[in-house]
Amino acid sequence: MILHLLLTLGAHLGGADVAGVLTVAAGMVAVLATLLPFALLCIRRALDALSAAPERRRGVTAAQG
């Protein structure tokens, strides 16, 4: 979603004057500042879940054995 928004904003740079370029750049910064922390949090949670998965499998096999 972040990349899509940045590409959409970047598409408006084609025929823009200096004020338009600054406006688009400010929009890109706003998108990154708003969405990047949430994306990093989701990535961190996914990595934590992936690293905990083998431990859960070991616990299940030990309980069955």
Side-chain angles (χ1 to χ4, degrees):
M1 183 163 100
I2 294 172
L3 290 175
H4 172 71
L5 289 171
L6 291 177
L7 289 174
T8 302
L9 288 171
H12 293 290
L13 288 175
D17 57 348
V18 175
V21 170
L22 291 176
T23 303
V24 170
M28 288 181 175
V29 169
V31 167
L32 285 175
T34 303
L35 297 179
L36 195 58
F38 295 106
L40 293 175
L41 180 64
C42 289
I43 291 169
R44 182 177 172 200
R45 286 186 178 185
L47 290 174
D48 288 345
L50 287 173
S51 66
E55 295 170 4
R56 290 184 188 151
R57 280 191 225 123
R58 278 188 241 125
V60 169
T61 57
Q64 292 175 352

